[in-house]
Amino acid sequence: MAMNVIMPQLGETVSEGTVSVWHAEVGDKVSPKTPLFDVSSDKVEMEVPAPGEGTLLEVRVEAGTTVSVGEVIAIIGKEGEAVEVVAPPAAEKKETKAEITAPAPALSIATKASNRDSNGNPLSPAVRRLIAENGLDPDTISGSGAGGRIKKKDVLAHLGSGAAAKPAPRTDSLTISGETEVIPFNNLRKMTAEHMVRSKATSPHVLQAVEADFASVGRARQAVSTQWKEREGFSLTWLPFVARAVCIAIRDFQRINAQIEGESLVVQRRINLGIAVDLDFDGLVAPVVKDADRMSLSELARAIRDVSSRARANKLTPDDFTGGTYTISNSGVFGTMITAPIINQPQVAILSTDGVTKKPVVIESEDGESIAIRPVGVLAQSFDHRAIDGAYSAAFLHRVREVIETTSWKSMLT
Amino acid sequence: MASKPKAAKGEGRAKASRKKTSAKAKSLANDDIGEETRLKLWRSLLEIRHVEQRAYDLFLQNLIKGTSHLALGHEAVAAGFATAMEKDDWTFCTYRGHHHTLARGASMEGVLGELMGRECGLLQGKGGSMHLTSVEHGAMGSYAIIGAHLPIAMGAAWTSQYKSTGQVSVCFFGDGTTNIGAFHEALNMAAVWKLPVVFVCENNLYMEYTPIGDVTAVENPAGDRAGSYGLPKIVIDGNDADEVYRTAQEAYAKARAGDGPSLIECLTYRHSGHSRADPGDYRPPGELEAWLKKDPVPRYRDRLADFGIDKKVIDGIDEKVMQQVEEATEISKASPTPSLELIEKDVWADGGVAWRN
Amino acid sequence: MAELTYREAVAEGIAQEMRRDEDVVFLGEDIGAAGGVFKATVGLLKEFGPVRVRDTPISEQAILGAAMGSAMTGLKPIAEIMFSDFLAVCWDIVANEIAKARYMTGGQMSMPLVIRTANGGGSRFGAQHSQSVENWAMMVPGLKVVAPSTPADVKGLLAAAIRDPDPVMFFEQKSLYPIKGEVPDGELVDELGTAKVLRDGDDVTICALAAMVPRAIQAAEILSSEHGIEATVVDLRSLVPLDTKTILRETAKTGRLVTVEENPRLCGWGAEVASIVADENFWDLDGPVIRITTPHIPLPAADELEDATMPSADRIVREVSEKID
């Protein structure tokens, strides 16, 4: 019995995906244990196994093609089986009906596309969505409706005609000639590049940094290090402490946790922390730990571990990228001293933590001044000067440092 | 409370009367009701009286919200019919239904807790005073739309007839109900189908605030209608628990024998207004006082004494019941308010409320 | 596969379930000896006898009260209310009692019953015997609401309704009783809460119910041949539960929704469907939602007046072709 391979839903808010690579050719044996194809969507690349055991009978969609969720992209069956016996359309409908998803968030569409074209004809919600999603100019689309109104099918025809740019197929092949090596950007690299340029163009960045004494954090890590590793299966790093301190500091400095809309600052009540994760030098992602402020230190450590390990295993879904309100980037493992991070749009600030190293520190006490060896790290924040000013950012950083230095972290873990 | 024994007649009276009236003592021995059942009736009367009185007190403390229709004065009807029932018989009653629900054995904290909107309530706060139900005790619901439950009780009787289970459905309602269409539809169909259902009218003289005589074409609102459905006119003293009990026994026997329904009018009186909001000012002066002389609770206390039952036993039950009411009050007060999760539960048999996929 | 009329399918559905379950009983006015005023229950008294098929007096409250009382104590009654207009005289039992009993008692009571009734216009009966009142039932929490358009759906959905543990209002459209259709042989049990896509087209999605379904299909053929408009036609079949997944999927596909209702305009079921689509499919809509209903008037009796009042295939064609661009 032949079965359909459909474009899977990569997340609750996603309606299409791009087949980036096929791992099998027609005639190959496939199984649910091995990847059949890679699919990419926005920021995610995901390996998808075959839905069942069998032989790949037909591939309906070439690598690089973007199709709607639920669309049949290949057929699996017994070797030599006629392809015509695919499940009947009625069953097909039933199978995909659960996949119909809510449209993209209303706000972004409403602000991106006007509800009339330049001739004064109404643009329907469906047309406005398609125009916004594909970055189209309505004046380049010819309308077939009453009075030249652009209908949904006109936009689809426009997109299908090649008049609009199509997503380029992914390729991993290298072109080597003479002294140069050309490495084409993969989707993730392209996304990252586009985002960085846009962020720099959008936000006037200002960098500020403070030095923090990590002695209290160091004592806590040392005290629980072995038992933590045994119990949780991973090491307790500096990062969760910084993240926790950020959550506490945001309570006093809520404008750090915000985004700019038009001429307003929209302050977010929830604190959803983006955690920047490097994917083996092959790209950068910032999955989000939602409601980070409601988590205990241990919970936060686990949540950060969860998103970063899923990021490295290519197991993130688009939902993991939505809703971030503030981002932390951590380059500490390489011992850097300071990094000027680029803001993760549409947020207004980002924090970079770098290496924590032992340094001589002057300690002031009632007995006078003395020099001690302390673990010290730099906390560097880039902020959007449209949203806040230097004093506010500095006060926030001061608070983060205060929390890191004065909290009795050990008591939270033991 | 009016149930205190008169001081002049002390403990000696029972002994003396037992000696003096040997004929009566003899009749006690041969009496069709007997001491055991009488004490059951007594306990039931007291349970209702004390719980209703407590419900009234809790209104005054603002611990019971909404409306509530007390059955103070109606105790003998509930106690008499319920005590004569088999465990698996079914009771259907109106929004004035605390007494019938208690009489079937539902717990006091179940009733008081429901009135107070607490989790320990019979319906966990979802029904309230007017919908007390305890299916496990055969209390098949309190129906707050006048007349609706007569056809429903008739339907339950159809099940017992169809399945030959011998169960009787007993349906209680007020005098006002006799003027609504459903009363007549149910009586007629039950009579034609010869269903095992007993319709009991608690005639307390008022349909809400209006005297029933002012709005009804016949003197006995239920009794005088019975003939229309080929049934005998039965009008009894609803404040005499023994008379109610005997009448119930006869009606149940008729129903179980397959001889069809009965319609019984019990004359009684409510000591308080129609509902919480009603002080009962429309009643002529002296009427309440006259009926208080026929109060079913002290009346039955005297009856028990007349039959030579020891005062200690009589008072002991009273004290025990009062203690239970205190405990139930405390349990109800301590019970949490219902979980908000209940809001989205139990519209459908699957436990959920979904109307779409 | 046998060809049955809509009315024969009613009796077939009831008989199928009465044969399999002794707890299923049937009561109503003129349903037994007379075989129903619409002859939809012919043969049931003969097969199942007067203990299970009971003729009643003209007492709608007693009929539904008996259904409720017997359902909550162990039977699975089917009650017939001859004309759905008469539901108004026993609406207390439907809306206040049957629908609420389980919820009010915290789940102590079950209500496995079916209320069958002849609903809708087209038979020149005038305003008190022609109303389409499925929307009344739809508004009451605790009632399931079914309205089939074909003989096969009558049998399959009626069987499903009888087996369902919750109260089901089963609206038979009386002008459809004589229509014929193929009904699969053997036991047939459908699924409540599922809509059917009867025709597939890319330009517009028409949602219809009961007698409006064949009219919508006829209209879709005319729209295709004369106007080049391809319509998807969805037979909702059930209003509660409502198959919103199918409705949303089919309207997202075409970007246009048309509801065709027999209900008078205000608060007809199409209003709810339009609201759900506007709410959840807004960014897929390619134009306004169109509701085609009976005007907000009592239904007149004379042929010409009634025909001009209820939505017809011609009216659907006219409204869709004019408003779709």
Side-chain angles (χ1 to χ4, degrees), chain B residues 24-351:
Chain B
K24 202 168 215 175
K26 198 178 169 194
S27 80
L28 173 65
N30 295 325
D31 182 70
D32 57 321
I33 295 178
E35 181 168 333
E36 193 187 333
T37 302
R38 280 222 165 76
L39 291 179
K40 270 191 204 162
L41 285 163
W42 175 233
R43 174 180 285 276
S44 183
L45 288 168
L46 291 170
E47 284 173 350
I48 297 165
R49 170 60 52 96
H50 292 325
V51 168
E52 290 289 66
Q53 191 63 49
R54 178 55 49 94
Y56 186 74
D57 296 343
L58 291 169
F59 286 148
L60 299 181
Q61 294 169 34
N62 208 27
L63 283 169
I64 291 179
K65 313 282 170 59
T67 188
S68 218
H69 306 79
L70 298 180
L72 288 167
H74 289 221
E75 293 87 346
V77 179
F81 275 97
T83 306
M85 280 183 212
E86 298 293 335
K87 249 190 152 52
D88 61 352
D89 288 337
W90 289 315
T91 293
F92 295 80
C93 55
T94 66
Y95 51 83
R96 194 183 309 287
H98 306 171
H99 54 327
H100 296 302
T101 310
L102 282 166
R104 291 309 306 277
S107 72
M108 290 179 186
E109 59 266 26
V111 170
L112 287 174
E114 187 63 26
L115 266 52
M116 290 165 69
R118 301 300 169 100
E119 200 176 75
C120 72
L122 286 176
L123 318 167
Q124 294 167 285
K126 283 179 106 166
S129 161
M130 298 201 282
H131 300 294
L132 297 183
T133 303
S134 181
V135 170
E136 65 170 311
H137 294 100
M140 304 300 280
S142 307
Y143 298 80
I145 310 287
I146 296 283
H149 67 311
L150 282 85
I152 297 166
M154 182 260 288
W158 183 26
T159 299
S160 33
Q161 181 191 62
Y162 183 80
K163 297 195 167 193
S164 307
T165 63
Q167 288 158 288
V168 178
S169 293
V170 188
C171 181
F172 300 95
F173 50 91
D175 41 275
T177 302
T178 63
N179 289 325
I180 205 165
F183 169 88
H184 299 275
E185 290 193 15
L187 257 296
N188 179 59
M189 207 156 112
V192 173
W193 290 15
K194 281 193 178 293
L195 294 174
V197 54
V198 178
F199 295 104
V200 181
C201 175
E202 293 171 75
N203 180 3
N204 64 18
L205 312 186
Y206 293 89
M207 52 147 286
E208 302 201 27
Y209 307 153
T210 304
I212 191 66
D214 292 359
V215 293
T216 307
V218 292
E219 189 185 343
N220 286 110
D224 289 337
R225 263 84 175 246
S228 307
Y229 307 108
L231 302 174
K233 173 177 176 175
I234 305 173
V235 180
I236 64 168
D237 180 353
N239 281 12
D240 181 340
D242 282 352
E243 186 172 344
V244 172
Y245 178 81
R246 290 192 180 100
T247 310
Q249 279 186 313
E250 279 174 39
Y252 299 166
K254 176 185 173 189
R256 290 192 224 280
D259 293 333
S262 302
L263 174 59
I264 298 160
E265 181 174 329
C266 302
L267 298 175
T268 185
Y269 197 79
R270 60 173 143 78
H271 294 172
S272 50
H274 166 72
S275 66
R276 181 187 185 184
D278 172 28
D281 291 343
Y282 43 82
R283 303 194 283 206
E287 187 178 85
L288 174 61
E289 290 70 23
W291 275 94
L292 281 175
K293 286 184 187 141
K294 293 188 270 183
D295 184 334
V297 178
R299 216 169 139 189
Y300 209 65
R301 177 185 287 276
D302 292 346
R303 176 83 46 83
L304 294 175
D306 285 348
F307 276 101
I309 295 171
D310 193 337
K311 182 174 182 297
K312 273 189 204 152
V313 174
I314 300 171
D315 290 345
I317 292 175
D318 198 352
E319 280 159 25
K320 185 85 209 297
V321 169
M322 202 57 221
Q323 194 186 327
Q324 283 179 304
V325 173
E326 294 297 347
E327 284 166 13
T329 307
E330 289 316 308
I331 292 172
S332 301
K333 281 182 180 171
S335 175
T337 53
S339 157
L340 294 183
E341 282 169 21
L342 285 179
I343 293 169
E344 301 233 318
K345 271 193 180 144
D346 286 330
V347 165
W348 309 120
D350 65 8

Side-chain angles (χ1 to χ4, degrees), chain A residues 2 41 61 78 82 118 148 221 264 337:
Chain A
S41 158
V61 168
K78 281 196 212 119
S118 58
R221 286 182 68 208
S264 308
M337 192 184 85

Side-chain angles (χ1 to χ4, degrees), chain C residues 149-224:
Chain C
S149 70
T150 67
D153 282 357
V154 165
K155 184 176 176 186
L157 290 172
L158 187 49
I162 294 166
R163 292 185 193 190
D164 196 274
D166 293 312
V168 181
M169 304 289 291
F170 196 84
F171 290 93
E172 294 157 19
Q173 217 290 350
K174 62 180 83 72
S175 74
L176 295 179
Y177 279 125
I179 67 155
K180 287 180 181 172
E182 295 291 334
V183 178
D185 297 328
E187 186 177 272
L188 185 61
V189 186
D190 210 319
E191 189 183 346
L192 302 186
T194 55
K196 262 188 189 164
V197 180
L198 299 180
R199 187 183 191 281
D200 202 29
D202 286 338
D203 297 320
V204 58
T205 300
I206 302 176
C207 287
L209 189 73
M212 297 300 103
V213 174
R215 295 180 190 200
I217 300 251
Q218 195 191 343
E221 296 306 328
I222 299 169
L223 283 167
S224 171

Side-chain angles (χ1 to χ4, degrees), chain B residues 90 92 122-124 126-127 131 133-136 140-141 143 145-146 148 151-152 154-156 158-159 161-163 181-182 185-186 188-189 193 195 342-350 353 355-357, chain C residues 22-23 25 27 51-52 54-57 59-62 65-66 68-70 72-75 92-93 96-97 102-109 142-144 165-166 240-245 248 276 280:
Chain B
W90 289 315
F92 295 80
L122 286 176
L123 318 167
Q124 294 167 285
K126 283 179 106 166
H131 300 294
T133 303
S134 181
V135 170
E136 65 170 311
M140 304 300 280
Y143 298 80
I145 310 287
I146 296 283
I152 297 166
M154 182 260 288
W158 183 26
T159 299
Q161 181 191 62
Y162 183 80
K163 297 195 167 193
E185 290 193 15
N188 179 59
M189 207 156 112
W193 290 15
L195 294 174
L342 285 179
I343 293 169
E344 301 233 318
K345 271 193 180 144
D346 286 330
V347 165
W348 309 120
D350 65 8
V353 301
W355 53 268
R356 59 177 286 185
N357 58 5
Chain C
E22 280 236 323
D23 288 340
V25 290
L27 78 166
V51 174
R52 296 184 70 191
R54 299 202 78 155
D55 280 320
T56 68
S59 300
E60 277 80 13
Q61 294 187 79
M68 173 169 173
S70 59
M72 62 195 257
T73 49
L75 297 184
D92 171 42
I93 309 279
N96 289 325
E97 312 297 347
R102 177 184 292 278
Y103 188 83
M104 283 201 312
T105 62
Q108 291 185 56
M109 281 183 191
L143 299 175
K144 293 184 177 172
D166 293 312
V240 182
L242 187 63
D243 184 357
T244 53
K245 280 188 180 165
L248 291 169
I276 291 167
E280 296 174 40

